[in-house]
Amino acid sequence: MEMNMLTREEIIEVLAPYNLWGGREWKAVMREKYISSIEKRLPHGAVALIGTRRSGKTTLARLFLMRSVEAGNSPDATLYVNLEDPRFSPYLKPELLEEIFSAYRTYVYSGRDPIVVLDEVQNVPGWERWVRKVLDLGEARVIVTGSTSSLLRSELSTLLTGRVLPIEVFSLSFEEFLAFRGFSGDIKSILGKKRRVEALLREYLEFGGFPQVVLTEDESLRGELLRELFEGVVLRDIAYRHGFRDARTVKIVAELALSRFSSLVSVSRLRNELAGIVGRKVSPNFVDAVLDAMDEAYLSFRVPVLSPKVKDAMRYPKKLYAIDTGIANIVGIRFTENVGRLAENAVARHLRQRFGEVYYYRGKREVDFIVKEGTEVTRAIQVSWDIDESWDREVEGLVEAAKTFGLMEGTIITGWKSCEEKIGGIAVKCIPLWRFLLSLDTNPQPSRPHRP
């Protein structure tokens, strides 16, 4: 095979500083649920860690390699490949993966069953063909990471159907955030520190859960990190990857959309606002394509209406949420004016992580979230930071939705209030946001593949 751009010796020189066998050590707070999830799935095929940049995919993959060494495997039996290293960038094709693996097998490890991590694998067109070959021949166990949900569609739905088990990686949940801040244990043990937890909740709503941001003490620097993250996703994972020519206009669409987080987002309204800003006509198809790309890059996600009528699903716009409240804040209005919407966004992200698909309900009143598990509706949820000001409206919608979907209860997520009342035959429960975010099991779930 002709590979005159990098020799195998040069490949090892690139790889060594990243790897345990090259003397690299990795230190990070353990996210045990994800590590356990990888450990459980890897014997049954390759594992794909998919999520937005800086959510912790790379760290998780590295920690898993360290865990395997701690369990008795040789450091030489692990290989981490950073496919965003600029020395690889001119040669990103499946042949490069084969040369990297051959160089590793020649100079580092020729034994059985190595673990190979391909970080940001979407940078290599046709990567799935090489992974399929390795799996078919039993040459290695493979973990891939990617910052685009397209890995859940065409790549995994063709050559790798049933061979790769995807896990979506999110920024820190509130439970993980507390662990990063030194809190652990169940809700009973946390109750004695309730005021401190409530203060940390406000911090979590304002700055979000990206690990690097959480571990940064300087608030102004946190803002800079979030801004840099936002712009990096827009430029690299949206504008460049999808071939949009005008990155500035793409960024404006993203900012306009995210400034409306926790709200219905209309493509036609966004198009009109964008046209006023850029001073020219804008195609609604362009705006819609950018919104799709934002979802694919895990910058945002949208929630559709749940209705048995197809025309309702097509007529009503989707609600848009940021993948992390820190991202919502960096492009939105100030935190003190925004806390109710941030609380709703935090609930949306929590439900999205736990259940995958989430909806809203629109009847006489709107209900923020309807959860389906399989074909069955299991939860109806409202979010109201100050429930005393909106009790009648929230309850009316919740009771209507519960009766529509045959539920016996509905939940209102509040700033601080707890309550339980029977209204119209429906049990209405109020749960403070901090408690709700700690109450639902958020073990990493196998992602539900999007339809191609």
Side-chain angles (χ1 to χ4, degrees):
M1 178 189 301
E2 183 180 354
M3 197 62 144
N4 55 14
M5 60 290 257
L6 283 176
T7 67
R8 290 184 179 180
E9 291 84 356
E10 289 171 333
I11 289 173
I12 294 299
E13 289 179 5
V14 176
L15 294 174
Y18 292 107
N19 276 275
L20 294 169
W21 46 261
R24 183 64 182 265
E25 294 183 1
W26 298 307
K27 296 181 180 178
V29 178
M30 189 66 69
R31 299 172 73 180
E32 191 62 50
K33 290 180 180 179
Y34 282 108
I35 298 297
S36 298
S37 189
I38 299 169
E39 195 169 48
K40 182 171 67 174
R41 290 172 174 81
L42 194 58
H44 304 287
V47 170
L49 302 177
I50 306 168
T52 191
R53 291 181 182 273
R54 310 279 181 83
S55 58
K57 304 183 303 295
T58 298
T59 299
L60 288 170
R62 289 171 169 175
L63 289 174
F64 184 80
L65 295 183
M66 289 184 63
R67 177 68 62 86
S68 75
V69 172
E70 291 169 357
N73 291 327
S74 168
D76 291 352
T78 66
L79 173 62
Y80 169 82
V81 183
N82 177 12
L83 291 168
E84 293 197 319
D85 188 294
R87 290 166 291 184
F88 286 148
S89 60
Y91 321 116
L92 294 174
K93 52 187 177 179
E95 291 78 10
L96 175 63
L97 299 179
E98 184 62 30
E99 281 297 297
I100 288 172
F101 190 59
S102 296
Y104 163 72
R105 298 294 268 170
T106 299
Y107 290 101
V108 180
Y109 183 72
S110 59
R112 294 171 57 96
D113 211 23
I115 305 174
V116 177
V117 172
L118 303 177
D119 200 5
E120 297 297 346
V121 75
Q122 76 278 348
N123 291 317
V124 182
W127 63 269
E128 64 276 10
R129 294 195 297 274
W130 184 82
V131 171
R132 174 67 183 265
K133 186 269 295 186
V134 169
L135 294 177
D136 285 347
L137 296 178
E139 294 179 328
R141 290 174 285 169
V142 180
I143 299 171
V144 301
T145 81
S147 298
T148 167
S149 65
S150 66
L151 295 182
L152 293 173
R153 295 205 302 267
S154 59
E155 292 93 331
L156 299 188
S157 64
T158 53
L159 287 174
L160 292 174
T161 300
R163 305 300 302 276
V164 175
L165 302 173
I167 298 172
E168 289 184 304
V169 178
F170 293 82
S171 57
L172 302 181
S173 66
F174 186 54
E175 180 183 9
E176 291 176 316
F177 175 85
L178 291 181
F180 269 55
R181 281 284 187 259
F183 285 82
S184 60
D186 57 20
I187 288 181
K188 291 181 180 179
S189 65
I190 290 174
L191 282 172
K193 304 171 184 176
K194 183 179 173 182
R195 289 191 177 182
R196 175 63 177 152
V197 171
E198 289 174 347
L200 287 171
L201 173 63
R202 295 183 74 88
E203 180 184 329
Y204 180 71
L205 292 178
E206 182 167 8
F207 295 105
F210 286 104
Q212 184 182 13
V213 176
V214 172
L215 295 173
T216 299
E217 294 296 331
D218 188 305
E219 290 192 4
S220 63
L221 183 56
R222 289 178 185 172
E224 291 178 23
L225 290 171
L226 286 166
R227 172 59 65 176
E228 187 268 334
L229 170 61
F230 167 74
E231 293 181 352
V233 172
V234 168
L235 293 175
R236 298 165 72 182
D237 295 326
I238 298 177
Y240 174 75
R241 183 160 292 135
H242 290 270
F244 293 115
R245 295 180 180 179
D246 188 348
R248 174 180 172 272
T249 305
V250 170
K251 182 180 175 184
I252 293 172
V253 173
E255 289 178 331
L256 287 173
L258 284 169
S259 69
R260 289 163 173 75
F261 71 92
S262 300
S263 303
L264 298 172
V265 172
S266 161
V267 170
S268 60
R269 187 171 178 180
L270 277 183
R271 179 196 62 178
N272 293 337
E273 289 193 41
L274 178 63
I277 293 172
V278 300
R280 56 181 169 80
K281 290 185 178 180
V282 178
S283 165
N285 292 336
F286 168 76
V287 174
D288 201 33
V290 173
L291 292 175
D292 286 343
M294 289 170 62
D295 291 354
E296 186 174 300
Y298 287 95
L299 188 62
S300 60
F301 62 95
R302 284 172 289 171
V303 170
V305 69
L306 181 62
S307 172
K309 299 178 181 178
V310 175
K311 66 177 183 179
D312 285 349
M314 298 180 65
R315 177 176 58 180
Y316 292 128
K318 296 178 180 179
K319 298 180 75 173
L320 183 140
Y321 297 94
I323 201 65
D324 182 88
T325 53
I327 291 291
N329 255 321
I330 207 67
V331 297
I333 56 179
R334 292 305 303 160
F335 171 77
T336 52
E337 304 167 27
N338 235 6
V339 64
R341 289 168 60 200
L342 288 168
E344 183 178 333
N345 200 118
V347 171
R349 211 302 293 269
H350 189 69
L351 295 173
R352 167 72 176 79
Q353 180 175 356
R354 176 61 183 86
F355 298 106
E357 296 180 4
V358 187
Y359 303 84
Y360 74 92
Y361 170 77
R362 192 160 188 167
K364 293 181 181 179
R365 296 285 188 183
E366 187 174 298
V367 174
D368 294 322
F369 302 110
I370 300 294
V371 174
K372 282 182 71 178
E373 297 181 65
T375 59
E376 184 180 357
V377 172
T378 58
R379 290 173 172 85
I381 298 170
Q382 295 278 43
V383 183
S384 177
W385 188 256
D386 190 349
I387 186 60
D388 291 335
E389 295 183 359
S390 59
W391 173 262
D392 291 339
R393 180 178 70 250
E394 305 293 354
V395 168
E396 183 181 345
L398 197 60
V399 169
E400 178 189 341
K403 291 181 176 179
T404 298
F405 296 112
L407 301 175
M408 300 302 295
E409 66 176 42
T411 303
I412 302 176
I413 312 302
T414 70
W416 318 113
K417 186 173 182 177
S418 297
C419 72
E420 183 168 352
E421 296 188 27
K422 199 87 166 181
I423 300 174
I426 303 298
V428 175
K429 298 180 179 180
C430 302
I431 303 176
L433 176 61
W434 69 268
R435 188 160 188 157
F436 176 80
L437 294 179
L438 297 175
S439 63
L440 282 180
D441 175 24
T442 52
N443 283 323
Q445 302 294 310
S447 303
R448 296 180 181 177
H450 299 261
R451 292 184 177 90

